[in-house]
């Protein structure tokens, strides 16, 4: 018997707008709407796209000293965060591998986490065990998550909340939107300016419909969310990063707190810290890089990368067509010897060799808001 898929609070809204659904992380999620992935992608780059990301996990952690306790589990400096600031950080294992990547917001009395949909139950169980007694963990299953992304996102949101225009990147605010209390973070997964909005599930459709009344806003599916993040050079857990990948291999050294990287007296306590800090000094055999390819055929994840002697020297972890730049783009891991910008290599697609070239990430420049 087929497993019944979960539905987000906006499922019926997606149906109304002609969504085509796919299974993702146990949910029935809209992959695209009537205009198609390419048009949704370009609309987000030029205007404002509204994404339903309610399948992701929202977890609240609280208790005396929770920021110090959490700092022992992730790569970032959590104790130094001011209230209503946000940080991208990583849960790691004892081998330095990435258990999950997440967004962490500090509020005056708790930590608010946004974690990957496929990992949320495992993350919750891991945190509950690792933090131990004395802390309260809540899976916020009664909340939806909307992402408003694109160069007109601030103008759209300002119609509901004056002041959002000057929110710093990676900051948060508790705001009343259309009569509903929400947690608003200025962040996103597209490389564009934007916001992620945690809203009570019972009010999610009303808020989404309010956004959609603005002619600048269109619903965007998972297909364009993937092409947007790929052009922005952003990692997808389970593809570009996983428990066998370290932050150094993945090119995410900046998520390791500066106080650890510069050798302060404060020792790093997160799992695998000794391995990761050693790699920062010595480097790694493999590194993540971006690739463009000749022709119009996309290079898909799993494709092996070959040097000109036909030896395997890496593999593709994410690949597709980049609508903003009009050519195929990909990311993957490559041996250090071949990792320089401009290096020409090959991949095999349908038993034919195709040329690829290493480029500096991102493929499309980030346009996050800067004061």
């Amino acid at each position: 018997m087929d497993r019944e898929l979960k539905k987000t609070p906006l499922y019926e809204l997606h149906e109304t707008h002609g969504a085509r659904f796919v299974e993702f992380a146990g949910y029935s999620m809209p992959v695209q709407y009537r205009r198609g992935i390419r048009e949704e992608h370009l609309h987000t780059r030029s205007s404002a796209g509204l994404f339903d990301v309610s399948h992701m996990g929202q977890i609240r952690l609280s208790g005396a000293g929770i920021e110090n306790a959490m700092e022992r589990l992730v790569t970032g400096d959590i104790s130094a965060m001011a209230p209503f600031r946000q940080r991208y950080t990583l849960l790691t294992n004892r081998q330095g591998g990435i258990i999950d990547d997440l967004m962490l917001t500090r509020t005056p009395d708790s930590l608010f986490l946004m974690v990957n949909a496929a990992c949320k139950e495992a993350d919750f169980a891991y945190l509950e065990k690792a933090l131990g007694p004395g802390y309260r963990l809540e899976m916020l299953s009664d909340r939806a998550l909307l992402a408003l992304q694109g160069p007109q996102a601030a103008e759209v949101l300002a119609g509901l909340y004056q002041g959002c225009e000057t929110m710093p990147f990676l900051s948060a605010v508790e705001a009343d939107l259309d009569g509903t209390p929400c947690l608003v973070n200025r962040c996103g997964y597209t490389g564009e300016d934007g916001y992620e909005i945690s809203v009570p599930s019972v009010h999610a459709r009303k808020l989404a419909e309010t956004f959609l009344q603005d002619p600048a806003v269109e619903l965007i599916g998972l297909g364009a969310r993937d092409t947007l993040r790929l052009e922005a050079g952003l990692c997808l857990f389970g593809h570009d990063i996983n428990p066998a990948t370290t932050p150094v291999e993945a090119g995410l050294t900046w998520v390791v707190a500066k106080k650890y990287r510069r050798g302060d007296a404060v020792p790093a306590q997160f799992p695998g810290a000794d391995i990761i800090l050693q790699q920062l000094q010595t480097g790694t055999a493999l590194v993540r890089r971006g690739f463009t390819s000749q022709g119009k055929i996309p290079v898909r994840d799993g494709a092996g990368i070959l040097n000109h002697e036909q030896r395997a020297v890496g593999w593709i972890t994410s690949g597709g067509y980049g609508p903003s730049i009009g050519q195929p783009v990909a990311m993957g891991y490559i041996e250090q010897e071949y990792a320089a910008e401009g290096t020409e290599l090959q991949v095999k697609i349908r038993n034919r060799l195709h040329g690829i070239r290493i480029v500096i990430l991102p493929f499309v420049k980030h346009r996050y808001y800067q004061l």
Side-chain angles (χ1 to χ4, degrees):
M1 184 175 181
D2 292 339
R3 177 169 54 102
E4 184 175 354
L5 297 179
K6 300 175 185 177
K7 297 177 180 179
T8 76
L10 296 181
Y11 182 85
E12 292 181 356
L13 177 67
H14 301 314
E15 283 189 314
T16 300
H17 285 262
R20 181 164 69 85
F21 293 91
V22 295
E23 187 277 334
F24 186 81
Y27 283 80
S28 183
M29 295 294 294
V31 66
Q32 66 178 72
Y33 300 88
R34 296 186 180 99
R35 293 185 66 193
I37 292 172
R38 179 181 180 276
E39 293 305 314
E40 292 173 25
H41 176 113
L42 296 175
H43 181 87
T44 305
R45 288 271 185 252
S46 65
S47 191
L50 183 65
F51 301 76
D52 177 13
V53 286
S54 304
H55 60 308
M56 295 182 66
Q58 300 183 61
I59 302 173
R60 181 183 290 120
L61 310 178
S62 57
I66 184 59
E67 64 281 356
N68 296 313
M70 191 63 181
E71 191 167 294
R72 294 192 290 270
L73 302 179
V74 297
T75 56
D77 188 350
I78 309 305
S79 60
M81 291 176 67
F84 295 109
R85 297 296 298 188
Q86 188 183 49
R87 179 157 290 160
Y88 174 72
T89 193
L90 307 172
L91 286 168
T92 53
N93 58 31
R94 284 182 288 183
Q95 292 74 43
I98 299 168
I99 297 174
D100 199 6
D101 62 335
L102 57 105
M103 300 300 294
L104 183 152
T105 302
R106 186 171 183 180
T107 66
D109 57 358
S110 65
L111 300 178
F112 174 80
L113 312 183
M114 289 188 288
V115 304
N116 283 296
C119 303
K120 59 186 178 182
E121 285 84 8
D123 285 355
F124 189 91
Y126 171 77
L127 291 170
E128 190 171 45
K129 181 178 179 180
L131 289 171
Y135 301 102
R136 185 182 181 194
L137 285 72
E138 303 169 80
M139 182 74 79
L140 304 179
S141 54
D142 61 343
R143 300 189 71 84
L145 191 64
L146 304 179
L148 184 66
Q149 301 282 294
Q152 294 188 47
E155 181 180 346
V156 170
L157 186 58
L160 298 179
Y161 173 63
Q162 289 291 326
C164 71
E165 311 98 306
T166 55
M167 286 176 61
F169 179 56
L170 296 182
S171 70
V173 66
E174 292 175 337
D176 185 291
L177 303 184
D178 201 26
T180 301
C182 300
L183 179 65
V184 180
N185 287 278
R186 195 164 201 167
C187 65
Y189 195 48
T190 61
E192 299 292 335
D193 183 26
Y195 306 84
E196 292 188 347
I197 303 162
S198 176
V199 54
S201 296
V202 293
H203 300 299
R205 179 165 182 169
K206 177 175 178 285
L207 181 59
E209 289 177 333
T210 298
F211 284 134
L212 291 170
Q213 290 174 10
D214 192 306
V217 181
E218 289 188 8
L219 282 169
I220 311 296
L222 288 183
R225 180 172 165 85
D226 192 55
T227 56
L228 288 159
R229 71 91 193 166
L230 178 55
E231 284 188 344
L234 303 176
C235 292
L236 176 63
F237 185 82
H239 289 254
D240 311 298
I241 53 177
N242 58 51
T245 309
T246 72
V248 183
E249 291 172 327
L252 299 175
T253 57
W254 54 273
V255 305
V256 180
K258 288 182 179 179
K259 65 183 181 182
Y260 306 144
R261 284 185 276 143
R262 64 180 179 232
D264 284 8
V266 179
Q269 300 180 62
F270 61 87
D274 54 339
I275 294 172
I276 293 169
L277 295 177
Q278 181 63 37
Q279 288 182 347
L280 286 172
Q281 299 298 318
T282 62
T284 57
L286 295 166
V287 289
R288 180 172 64 96
R289 288 291 185 267
F291 304 89
T292 56
S293 59
Q294 300 170 357
K296 297 293 185 180
I297 300 177
V299 182
R300 300 299 183 184
D301 66 293
I305 302 172
L306 308 173
N307 66 10
H308 289 286
E309 287 73 46
Q310 304 299 296
R311 183 175 72 84
V313 294
W315 66 94
I316 300 297
T317 54
S318 286
Y321 191 78
S324 303
I325 62 175
Q327 68 181 114
V329 292
M331 292 191 298
Y333 286 84
I334 191 77
E335 293 178 6
Q336 282 279 9
E337 178 183 352
Y338 300 94
E341 180 184 8
T343 301
E344 294 185 351
L345 298 156
Q346 298 174 314
V347 293
K348 186 173 285 188
I349 305 174
R350 299 171 188 165
N351 293 319
R352 294 184 61 183
L353 291 174
H354 294 260
I356 60 173
R357 179 190 296 266
I358 292 182
V359 298
I360 299 298
L361 293 170
F363 301 101
V364 173
K365 185 179 179 181
H366 295 167
R367 296 196 288 182
Y368 303 130
Y369 176 74
Q370 301 294 332
L371 286 172

